Amino acid sequence: MNKIYKNAEEAVADIKDGSTLMLGGFGLCGIPENCIAALVKKGTKNLVCISNNAGVDDFGIGLMLQQKQVKKMISSYVGENAEFERQLLSGELEVELVPQGTLATRCMASGYGMPAIYTPAGVGTEVAEGKEIRNFNGKDYLLEMAFDADFAIVKAWKGDEHGNLVYKDTARNFNPLMAMAGKITIAEVEELVPAGELDPNNIHTPGIYVHRIFKGVNYEKRIEQRTVRKK
Amino acid sequence: MALDKYQIAQRISNELQDGYYVNLGIGIPTLVANYIPKGMNVVLQSENGLLGMGPFPFEGEEDADLINAGKQTITTLPGSAFFDSAMSFGMIRSGKVDLTVLGAMEVSENGDIANWKIPGKMVKGMGGAMDLVASAKNIIVAMMHTNPKGESKLLPECTLPLTGKRCVKKIVTELAVLELVNGSFKLLERAPGVSVEEIQQKTAGKLIVEGDIPEMSL
C-alpha cells in the first residue's frame, strides 16, 4: 500500500477533462489550495465541481473559473466573485443551487453507500420542482440523490501514510463528507506523519476512504472576512 | 420611535432562555449575540460546524481555520465543539436547535418566508436558509417592516420565490413584534412611541389587533 504522492501535480495528474470533482471547504476555509493550483496549471477543462462555494475572483475555485475550466458548479452559495457572475449571466457556466444541508447530506449518503436521502429542505419551493415528494408522519420530504463524483479533493490538517485524516477547527466542514464520497479521494495535508503518530481515537476520516495523500506546501489560508476586536 | 437594528436585536434577545441552542443568521440576527443576558447559558450554533461560538478574536489572534457561517473570523469558548456540515444540518433537521433567527425579504400571513432570490438579479444561492426554515422548531424573523421603496414586507402572499412554507413563528421589526396565528399577523407589541395605526398602515397582510397593544420593553 502506497498512498503517498509527492505533490499536487502528481496527485491530480490523471484527472481528465469532463470529470466530476468534489472540492472541500466552506468559503475559503479548508479548501485544497495545492490541488486547485495544480488543476489550474494542468488546464483540465469542462469540470463539474461540487463545492459549497465557488471561491473569490483570485482565489480558490475562482482561479479555475478565470481559466474557464468549470462547466458546471453545484453549490449552496456562490457569486462572491465577478468573473463567476459574468460567466453565469453569459451562459458559459451552468449552476445548480442546492440547500447547504442537502449538499452535505448528498455527499454523506454517497460515502455511506446510500443512493438517496429524504429531506424537508426546499419543500414548497423551486428546489422541489420535478422531485419526488413523500409524506412521513404528516410532513413532506424531498427525495434527493446521492452525489456521484470521480474525484473528491479534500484538505486536512494532519494525515498519516494510511490516509487517516484529522481536520482543524471549522476547516473540517465538507471535507470529511467528500473524502468518503469520491471514487478516488485525494487528500492534501499540512502535516504528513508516519502510521502510529495520530491517536486512533481522534481520527476524523479513516484511511480506507483516502486513496492519495500528500503534504501540501505554501498554504496561504486567505481570510475572507477578517473581524477582530481591540485588546 | 422606530427601533434601530441594535434595538431589534436587543428585543429578540428577550426570547432567549437558559440552555437554548441558537442559530443566528447573517445581518441583524448576528447582533443578537451582543445581548445575551449575563449569567444565561446560551450556546450559539454556526452551521459551518461549531457549537459554542465565541466573540471575534483579538487583533493578531485571528485564525483562517476558525470562521462563522458569514466567513468572519471568530473564537471558541470553553465547551465548544466542532463537527462536519452533515452533522451540523443533522442537529438542525432533527430539531435540536431551539431557536433560529434570520432575516427576510418577505413574510406572508401564513408564515411563508422569502429571503434568497430576486428574479432578474444575480442569484447567490440559499446557503443553509432552506434547511433551517424547513426544520427549526422556532423561527424568529428579524427584518424591517417595509422595503427601501416603502412597501410592506408583511404580505398576504409572498411575491418572491419562497425559502420555506408556513414556518415563521414570530417577526420583530423596527415597529412591532408580531406572531403568526391562524393565517394572520397578530400584533403583540409596538416599538416605543409607534402607533397601532402606523403598524396597520405598513402591514399589507391580515393584521389582528386585540385590546391594548403594549410597548416593547428593551
Side-chain angles (χ1 to χ4, degrees):
Chain A
M1 175 177 63
N2 180 25
K3 298 184 177 185
I4 298 178
Y5 280 60
K6 206 164 65 201
N7 53 33
E9 284 73 25
E10 198 181 286
V12 305
D14 60 345
I15 297 183
K16 294 187 173 61
D17 289 356
S19 299
T20 297
L21 311 182
M22 285 178 173
L23 293 138
F26 183 98
L28 301 177
C29 180
I31 59 171
E33 293 182 22
N34 280 231
C35 285
I36 290 171
L39 285 165
V40 168
K41 194 170 149 198
K42 188 163 121 75
T44 318
K45 294 236 175 340
N46 289 319
L47 296 169
V48 176
C49 293
I50 302 167
S51 187
N52 189 53
N53 312 91
V56 295
D57 267 318
D58 59 345
F59 203 56
I61 294 174
L63 296 170
M64 291 162 68
L65 289 162
Q66 272 183 14
Q67 304 299 317
K68 304 203 175 85
Q69 294 176 269
V70 183
K71 179 177 68 179
K72 182 177 180 181
M73 278 303 311
I74 301 175
S75 304
S76 85
Y77 193 83
V78 294
E80 304 284 7
N81 76 62
E83 176 60 16
F84 181 95
E85 190 168 341
R86 192 197 65 72
Q87 289 183 24
L88 180 61
L89 296 174
S90 70
E92 291 166 63
L93 179 68
E94 214 183 311
V95 176
E96 182 182 337
L97 293 169
V98 178
Q100 195 175 126
T102 303
L103 187 81
T105 313
R106 288 173 69 186
C107 293
M108 189 197 81
S110 181
Y112 277 77
M114 299 185 295
I117 55 155
Y118 282 103
T119 176
V123 169
T125 76
E126 61 189 58
V127 166
E129 282 167 19
K131 289 175 186 159
E132 180 192 318
I133 293 176
R134 187 159 164 190
N135 190 286
F136 295 93
N137 305 316
K139 184 167 174 167
D140 285 340
Y141 294 80
L142 292 186
L143 181 71
E144 296 273 12
M145 307 309 285
F147 284 123
D148 191 13
D150 300 310
F151 293 87
I153 304 176
V154 303
K155 153 82 195 328
W157 178 30
K158 294 177 182 176
D160 69 15
E161 57 192 299
H162 282 257
N164 294 308
L165 303 177
V166 178
Y167 308 91
K168 184 168 161 283
D169 300 0
T170 56
R172 189 182 314 189
N173 56 63
F174 286 82
N175 282 302
L177 306 162
M178 291 180 170
M180 292 172 68
K183 283 196 194 80
I184 292 176
T185 291
I186 302 169
E188 57 175 85
V189 298
E190 290 177 54
E191 290 176 42
L192 182 57
V193 300
E197 293 270 308
L198 300 176
D199 178 354
N201 285 302
N202 295 323
I203 301 292
H204 297 138
T205 297
I208 192 168
Y209 288 110
V210 177
H211 305 89
R212 303 174 187 175
I213 187 167
F214 68 92
K215 185 188 179 309
V217 291
N218 302 326
Y219 281 105
E220 178 180 340
K221 291 200 179 184
R222 194 183 293 188
I223 292 173
E224 253 176 282
Q225 306 283 343
R226 184 181 302 273
T227 44
V228 294
R229 61 194 156 126
K230 293 251 184 256
K231 268 192 196 171
Chain B
M1 269 280 284
L3 307 185
D4 62 23
K5 62 183 182 176
Y6 298 97
Q7 292 169 311
I8 294 176
Q10 195 183 350
R11 172 58 191 83
I12 290 171
S13 73
N14 295 353
E15 307 287 323
L16 299 172
Q17 289 182 29
D18 193 53
Y20 259 20
Y21 289 95
V22 179
N23 181 289
L24 300 175
I26 293 163
I28 299 174
T30 305
L31 300 172
V32 175
N34 300 331
Y35 300 100
I36 298 170
K38 271 225 153 38
M40 185 184 281
N41 194 1
V42 168
V43 179
L44 299 179
Q45 198 251 16
S46 189
E47 66 263 27
N48 58 318
L50 171 63
L51 272 172
M53 179 166 50
F56 296 144
F58 289 120
E59 252 176 309
E61 291 176 10
E62 60 272 26
D63 180 345
D65 290 331
L66 184 46
I67 63 168
N68 64 17
K71 287 128 189 169
Q72 297 171 310
T73 45
I74 48 156
T75 55
T76 54
L77 294 170
S80 287
F82 295 114
F83 36 84
D84 66 55
S85 300
M87 188 180 284
S88 178
F89 285 94
M91 57 188 77
I92 289 164
R93 230 182 272 117
S94 61
K96 307 293 191 240
V97 174
D98 299 290
L99 174 66
T100 293
V101 184
L102 41 80
M105 299 192 265
E106 295 177 347
V107 177
S108 78
E109 60 194 24
N110 65 4
D112 296 352
I113 178 171
N115 70 354
W116 76 283
K117 183 176 185 180
I118 301 175
K121 291 209 177 167
M122 173 61 193
V123 177
K124 296 192 176 218
M126 67 291 281
M130 282 193 183
D131 307 272
L132 281 159
V133 302
S135 298
K137 288 181 290 193
N138 190 5
I139 298 178
I140 298 180
V141 166
M143 67 175 191
M144 303 312 276
H145 217 94
T146 54
N147 65 22
K149 289 187 209 155
E151 299 160 341
S152 181
K153 294 168 71 172
L154 289 76
L155 304 171
E157 270 182 65
C158 292
T159 64
L160 295 169
L162 294 185
T163 308
K165 282 184 93 85
R166 297 177 183 277
C167 49
V168 176
K169 301 282 189 290
K170 204 176 252 188
I171 304 170
V172 179
T173 74
E174 80 281 21
L175 304 177
V177 179
L178 309 106
E179 196 178 17
L180 279 293
V181 192
N182 299 325
S184 308
F185 299 106
K186 185 179 178 189
L187 184 58
L188 298 182
E189 299 170 20
R190 56 201 171 81
V194 169
S195 68
V196 170
E197 290 69 34
E198 180 179 356
I199 295 163
Q200 277 169 327
Q201 188 214 329
K202 291 182 174 169
T203 305
K206 211 182 303 160
L207 181 73
I208 299 177
V209 182
E210 280 175 4
D212 281 345
I213 304 299
E215 287 190 354
M216 294 176 200
S217 63
L218 293 170

